[in-house]
Every structure is written in structure tokens, then in C-alpha cells.
Amino acid sequence: MKESNTLALALAVFAGLGLVAALLLAGLNALTEERITDERRDHALRAVSAMLPAGSYDNDLLDTEAPIEIRGLEEATTYTARLSGNATALVFDIVTANGYSGDIRLLVAVSAEGVVLGSRILEHRETPGLGDRIERDKSDWLAQFDGRSLGRPPAEEWAPDRRGGAFDTVTSATISSAAVVDAIKRVLLTFESRGDVLLRETQAK
Ligand SMILES: Cc1cc2nc3c(=O)[nH]c(=O)nc-3n(C[C@H](O)[C@H](O)[C@H](O)COP(=O)(O)O)c2cc1C
């Protein structure tokens, strides 16, 4: 075989190997991403079932997934809890970009009457020992929103007390606190203006 042919063959083999490696990596990446999405979803669903009262819904929440726009939030998706076909609660899966270290993802469950049933922080990068105390496992700070609504306290008081509002502030973590209070307030404002439609829309599905 001529030297130039040998070189061409070697290059073709290398190119082929490179292509196979790239395809394998892409496949692996897709599988990993899928697994991460499934894990995030499972984690979220476990959190949801801990927030909603036992026996308050009998449907598959994932069937009701609906993305919505909420001003001031990065992402928002709703899930509707139903019992014998009647909507009992809306669960909002939301992301605020206002944390001390960026995005905070949380779940907020709101009853059909507009009352916060519960909330859970799903993902964040706040500082360990400071901002991470927004997590339910680290302190009971988040529990103060349970049972609250836009009237309790009035909308203008939905802020941490370090910023003149009605809610406790996580010590030395005013920014993290304010981000979470603001996000829950935006959910309640959305529920106030569009709750009827959201409950009805997902009910029809
Ligand atoms: C290393 C370091 C980490 C911090 N982490 C947070 C945090 O996770 N969340 C937060 O709200 N503030 C954090 N802060 C503090 C804020 O800079 C700010 O001082 C604090 O939120 C109090 O705000 P205030 O004085 O307006 O109440 C951190 C500060 C430092 C120096």
C-alpha cells in the first residue's frame, strides 16, 4: 500500500473512532440527564405528598402538569390535586432568581381557598449555616407560611421583618428570606388573579 493510502486509512479510522466516541458520550449524557430529571421529579413528588393533607387528592398529579408565566419568577409549573374530580389544591413548582447565590426552587401548595398548605425548598445554593436555614430540615423558618394567605398578612406586609414585613427573617440571611417570601407572595397573587381559571383548566383535562 502506498504511504499516502496508509495515512488516509489511519485518518479515516481515527475519524471513525472519534465519531463513535462522540455518539457514545452523547447517548450517555442523554441517559444521565433523563435520570436526573426523573430523580428531581421523584424528589418533588415526595415533597408534594408530604405537604398535601392525607386523603385530599386521588389523582395523578403528573397528569396535570401545566407551565405558567408568573411575573418576577424564572420558572413556574402548576399541578392540580383533585378528589373525586373536584380541585382541592394547586401545587406551584417555582424558581426565583433572587437568592443570595442565585436560583432557589421551591414548591408551594395552595388550597382551593387560597391558603398556603405547605412549602418546601427543593434546590438552592445559599450559604451553609446562613441562607440554607430556609430549608425545612435545617430550621422551622419555612413553617411560618403554613396557613397564611394574601389577607393574613395583607399583601404589603409580605416581606421579612428586617425589611419591614410581617415574617421572621433567617438570622444574617435577609436576602434568602426576602427571596422566599417574595416568591410565595407572587404565587398567592397569581392564585388571586388566575386561580379560578387554573383550577378549571386543569380540571377539564
Ligand atoms: C460569606 C458570606 C455568605 C453569606 N451568605 C448569605 C446567604 O446565604 N443568604 C443571605 O441572605 N445572606 C448571606 N450573606 C449576608 C448578606 O451579605 C447580608 O449581609 C445579609 O443577608 C443581611 O442583610 P441585612 O443586613 O440587610 O439584614 C452572606 C455574607 C457573607 C460574607
Side-chain angles (χ1 to χ4, degrees), residues 68-148:
I68 59 161
E69 291 270 329
I70 300 184
R71 199 155 53 91
L73 295 179
E74 298 304 293
E75 288 171 35
T77 307
T78 61
Y79 299 89
T80 309
R82 288 195 297 264
L83 189 60
S84 309
N86 295 316
T88 51
L90 277 179
V91 179
F92 292 78
D93 182 340
I94 54 170
V95 176
T96 168
N98 299 332
Y100 178 75
S101 304
D103 288 356
I104 299 175
R105 179 171 167 229
L106 64 155
L107 289 177
V108 185
V110 182
S111 75
E113 292 77 36
V115 176
V116 175
L117 294 170
S119 52
R120 292 288 186 281
I121 305 292
L122 290 182
E123 291 166 21
H124 72 85
R125 294 191 301 273
E126 306 300 89
T127 313
L130 293 173
D132 75 340
R133 301 188 72 244
I134 56 174
E135 281 180 45
R136 209 132 181 153
D137 292 349
K138 305 259 161 71
S139 84
D140 57 6
W141 181 79
L142 200 61
Q144 67 182 318
F145 302 99
D146 296 357
R148 301 305 194 105

Side-chain angles (χ1 to χ4, degrees), residues 32-201:
T32 311
E33 269 173 22
E34 200 172 305
R35 197 172 54 81
I36 290 172
T37 309
D38 286 351
E39 277 176 9
R40 285 180 75 193
R41 186 168 271 209
D42 282 355
H43 179 54
L45 273 180
R46 275 197 302 275
V48 168
S49 44
M51 284 190 299
L52 297 175
S56 69
Y57 69 105
D58 57 9
N59 62 318
D60 184 349
L61 291 176
L62 289 180
D63 286 348
T64 67
E65 179 174 343
I68 59 161
E69 291 270 329
I70 300 184
R71 199 155 53 91
L73 295 179
E74 298 304 293
E75 288 171 35
T77 307
T78 61
Y79 299 89
T80 309
R82 288 195 297 264
L83 189 60
S84 309
N86 295 316
T88 51
L90 277 179
V91 179
F92 292 78
D93 182 340
I94 54 170
V95 176
T96 168
N98 299 332
Y100 178 75
S101 304
D103 288 356
I104 299 175
R105 179 171 167 229
L106 64 155
L107 289 177
V108 185
V110 182
S111 75
E113 292 77 36
V115 176
V116 175
L117 294 170
S119 52
R120 292 288 186 281
I121 305 292
L122 290 182
E123 291 166 21
H124 72 85
R125 294 191 301 273
E126 306 300 89
T127 313
L130 293 173
D132 75 340
R133 301 188 72 244
I134 56 174
E135 281 180 45
R136 209 132 181 153
D137 292 349
K138 305 259 161 71
S139 84
D140 57 6
W141 181 79
L142 200 61
Q144 67 182 318
F145 302 99
D146 296 357
R148 301 305 194 105
S149 60
L150 263 194
R152 292 187 53 228
E156 59 278 12
E157 290 175 29
W158 275 77
D161 50 12
R162 285 276 297 175
R163 293 202 177 155
F167 293 100
D168 290 345
T169 310
V170 174
T171 308
S172 301
T174 307
I175 299 164
S176 314
S177 309
V180 173
V181 179
D182 176 74
I184 299 177
K185 176 187 175 179
R186 284 176 192 277
V187 161
L188 292 177
L189 285 170
T190 303
F191 191 89
E192 188 180 64
S193 60
R194 288 185 268 162
D196 280 359
V197 178
L198 291 171
L199 289 169
R200 237 183 296 122
E201 265 178 8

